[in-house]
Amino acid sequence: MLPILDKNFQKEYALLSLLDSDERYFSCQELADKLGLSERTIYKYLQNLTGQLKHYPAEELAIERSTALGIRLQRAPWLSIHSVYTSLARQSLTYDFFHSLFLETTDTTTAFCLAHFISSASLYRALSPMRETLAAFSLTLDAADMRLDGGEMQIRYFYNNFYLQIYRGYAWPFPSISRQLVMNAIDDISGALDAPMSISDRKHFSYWLAVIAHRLSLRHCLTTPLPAELGLDNEAYHTALPAIQRFFQRLHLPASPAECQFIFYLLHAFPFGMNVQQRLFAAARDVRGFDCLPLTATDHFLAVFARYFPQWMGMGSPSFRLKLHRLHFHGALLSGSSDLLERYPFLKSYRQNFPAFAQRMDKLFASLAPHSCGRCFADERYLLPHYILLCSQYFDLAAGEPLIRLALLTDYGPIYEEKIKKEILSRFGDDFHLQFVTPQGTCSHYDILITNLPVKIVTAGHLTLSIHTAFNQREWNLLAQLLRRRQAQI
């Protein structure tokens, strides 16, 4: 996520998220240990959060504190905790600064600091975490002159992410732009393409159009048409063009070819509906009828993919290719970060869970760039997590890992042993490539033996787990450790 919250707000929201992670009482010591804070600081943050939540009815959202039981968050099932994040973000100095920068309501840093009763040094310290994030968008911050330096497309991309992260499309932080006019324009464009958008897609697209309109109203324009190799000169573009032009006309803004092309291009580069993108990608050929650069990039990716994952070729559905097209349209023109790592914890642990897959993905990505469409593969920070997530959606990642053979040697009988096998697969089948085998005499064709027999069974080169009458939590944890150890050995 973008580091929008100020330092104290970050800790307070982390505390709130921890309380929200389980419907139980937490001790102050437990909260302090998990957040790396002192108990005194925890109490201070709890006091601040209690004040932040006062405008919520107690039955909707409240922090309950009990001397005997501990601390617990009471939240109505229908209420989103993100509303608290929005409130904290709007109070942050970082939000005020970048919102002022976007609206261009403050001319100098001195004026901003005077209005917020802070020194320039304090402002620069508060903005420091955002500088690395801006670099991912190929932007730099000139705080002294209240200016973002970089390409106009990238500035728009950053602000779309900035506002979308805070408001999720539900509030409207663009005072000079009519939301109704923007929504009418989206209906007009999607109607021309005969591809209606979902509510969430319309909200996302509305932020894009509002950011574009506001930047244009301040005379921050795109002056150069998009490259011909992107394949925009096609029947779909000419079908949508009148609706795109009407959007600019209704807001009394110049409808230059570059601006019209950019709006049309966004429909290719972001997930605004599979129906519309099927048509757009089918139309995206150059004037000679050949694939344009991003579509060629997909063909190149699949060719390289086949070398590293031959067992998966032909298994992906047509939507797998369509999603690759979208990623490559994105990579051909834009660079930036995403919040995939926050939304999918799997991406933080996949290297540990699927080391063979991770190693091959690294090699695959390194093999992509030396190609005529290499610009589509330049943004590793954005593309690699999306590639990994796509593979996890369409393929069994565990099947690509080394096979671990499990053997059961118990006196439970076949019915209960089958039950144990199903439970083991349900717990670990997504993370390990498992196969059950039958132990045969002294020949040990297994990697891990699971037994409840009251004798010591240890064979060189193999692992043994002894269980009691059934698996308890300690034994499940031990099995996970043995699986991880065996995976590392193979």
Side-chain angles (χ1 to χ4, degrees):
M1 294 177 72
L2 302 180
I4 296 170
L5 298 183
D6 296 339
K7 187 175 181 180
N8 284 347
F9 287 157
Q10 290 175 19
K11 294 293 187 180
E12 289 175 17
Y13 190 67
L15 173 58
L16 184 68
S17 299
L18 179 55
L19 290 171
D20 190 53
S21 66
D22 199 353
E23 193 170 350
R24 65 178 176 87
Y25 287 95
F26 293 81
S27 70
C28 187
Q29 181 64 54
E30 180 183 3
L31 295 172
D33 291 343
K34 289 189 175 183
L35 295 176
L37 301 170
S38 68
E39 291 188 46
R40 182 176 179 179
T41 303
I42 291 293
Y43 281 123
K44 183 184 76 172
Y45 287 156
L46 284 172
Q47 189 68 30
N48 294 341
L49 280 172
T50 300
Q52 294 283 349
L53 304 184
K54 277 186 177 178
H55 65 281
Y56 291 96
E59 64 274 12
E60 293 182 7
L61 189 64
I63 295 176
E64 179 186 340
R65 296 170 65 175
S66 166
T67 303
L69 300 174
I71 303 148
R72 179 179 183 178
L73 182 70
Q74 298 280 8
R75 175 170 68 85
W78 52 263
L79 189 141
S80 171
I81 206 73
H82 188 81
S83 61
V84 181
Y85 174 86
T86 301
S87 175
L88 294 175
R90 292 187 64 180
Q91 298 175 56
S92 74
L93 186 65
T94 300
Y95 174 80
D96 278 349
F97 180 85
F98 280 96
H99 190 51
S100 298
L101 207 64
F102 178 72
L103 299 178
E104 297 189 3
T105 54
T106 306
D107 295 332
T108 65
T109 304
T110 301
F112 181 86
C113 291
L114 287 173
H116 289 77
F117 306 102
I118 59 170
S119 66
S120 297
S122 297
L123 174 64
Y124 296 158
R125 282 195 300 272
L127 297 176
S128 180
M130 189 65 89
R131 294 184 184 276
E132 182 180 350
T133 298
L134 289 171
F137 289 89
S138 303
L139 300 173
T140 56
L141 174 64
D142 185 346
D145 290 336
M146 296 287 290
R147 189 177 72 242
L148 273 182
D149 293 325
E152 176 60 24
M153 291 181 190
Q154 290 299 128
I155 292 174
R156 296 176 182 186
Y157 184 23
F158 165 74
Y159 271 111
N160 176 72
N161 277 264
F162 180 80
Y163 289 117
L164 199 65
Q165 177 177 310
I166 297 170
Y167 297 109
R168 299 279 182 88
Y170 285 87
W172 190 249
F174 312 105
S176 64
I177 307 298
S178 166
R179 187 172 198 174
Q180 190 58 53
L181 282 179
V182 171
M183 289 301 185
N184 291 343
I186 292 174
D187 292 338
D188 203 6
I189 294 169
S190 61
L193 293 170
D194 193 23
M197 292 185 186
S198 67
I199 293 175
S200 60
D201 289 343
R202 292 173 81 248
K203 291 181 182 297
H204 185 175
F205 197 32
S206 72
Y207 273 38
W208 263 116
L209 295 185
V211 168
I212 291 169
H214 182 75
R215 294 290 293 177
L216 278 174
S217 71
L218 298 173
R219 295 181 172 81
H220 299 297
C221 309
L222 301 178
T223 57
T224 306
L226 272 59
E229 61 189 4
L230 296 178
L232 300 186
D233 187 14
N234 56 58
E235 58 85 17
Y237 176 63
H238 296 297
T239 299
L241 183 57
I244 295 173
Q245 290 172 330
R246 283 193 293 272
F247 163 68
F248 292 111
Q249 291 164 1
R250 288 166 180 160
L251 292 171
H252 308 289
L253 298 170
S256 70
E259 295 291 353
C260 293
Q261 288 176 348
F262 184 61
I263 287 180
F264 182 65
Y265 189 85
L266 293 175
L267 295 171
H268 299 69
F270 293 90
F272 289 133
M274 192 66 71
N275 290 335
V276 65
Q277 289 186 335
Q278 282 179 321
R279 177 175 180 184
L280 296 179
F281 298 150
R285 303 285 187 263
D286 66 20
V287 293
R288 300 168 297 166
F290 296 120
D291 281 351
C292 63
L293 185 71
L295 303 190
T296 302
T298 295
D299 290 338
H300 176 57
F301 175 91
L302 289 173
V304 177
F305 186 80
R307 295 206 303 267
Y308 289 96
F309 300 100
Q311 74 275 24
W312 289 341
M313 286 311 298
M315 293 175 61
S317 70
S319 62
F320 181 66
R321 176 180 283 269
L322 286 175
K323 291 175 182 177
L324 288 173
H325 288 339
R326 179 181 65 76
L327 293 180
H328 297 143
F329 268 97
H330 187 288
L333 200 62
L334 300 166
S335 63
S337 185
S338 71
D339 61 349
L340 285 187
L341 294 178
E342 287 73 26
R343 287 189 284 133
Y344 299 97
F346 154 79
L347 291 170
K348 298 179 180 179
S349 60
Y350 83 95
R351 289 185 179 277
Q352 175 186 353
N353 294 336
F354 308 108
F357 167 76
Q359 186 178 42
R360 280 186 281 181
M361 281 301 299
D362 289 340
K363 292 179 179 178
L364 181 153
F365 195 89
S367 302
L368 293 174
H371 190 270
S372 59
C373 53
R375 62 181 280 189
C376 293
F377 308 117
D379 190 9
E380 179 177 355
R381 182 168 176 170
Y382 181 89
L383 288 175
L384 188 55
H386 280 86
Y387 286 149
I388 293 163
L389 201 62
L390 268 183
C391 288
S392 71
Q393 178 183 354
Y394 286 92
F395 309 113
D396 180 6
L397 301 190
E401 298 300 310
L403 180 66
I404 299 177
R405 296 162 299 174
L406 303 179
L408 287 180
L409 186 59
T410 74
D411 57 6
Y412 291 145
I415 295 177
Y416 194 61
E417 281 198 357
E418 287 301 315
K419 182 178 182 300
I420 291 177
K421 290 178 182 179
K422 287 182 180 179
E423 190 166 1
I424 290 173
L425 289 175
S426 70
R427 284 176 178 259
F428 302 110
D430 289 340
D431 296 332
F432 300 94
H433 189 187
L434 303 179
Q435 182 184 59
F436 285 96
V437 298
T438 303
Q440 299 176 353
T442 58
C443 298
S444 302
H445 299 291
Y446 58 82
D447 298 299
I448 299 175
L449 177 69
I450 300 170
T451 179
N452 75 326
L453 300 182
V455 292
K456 183 178 180 180
I457 306 175
V458 178
T459 309
H462 302 84
L463 302 172
T464 300
L465 174 64
S466 180
I467 61 176
H468 192 40
T469 54
F471 275 91
N472 58 34
Q473 188 56 50
R474 177 178 178 275
E475 289 162 350
W476 284 122
N477 293 339
L478 285 172
L479 179 55
Q481 294 173 23
L482 292 180
L483 289 169
R484 189 71 60 212
R485 187 195 309 176
R486 185 58 184 167
Q487 186 182 59
Q489 293 172 347
I490 300 177

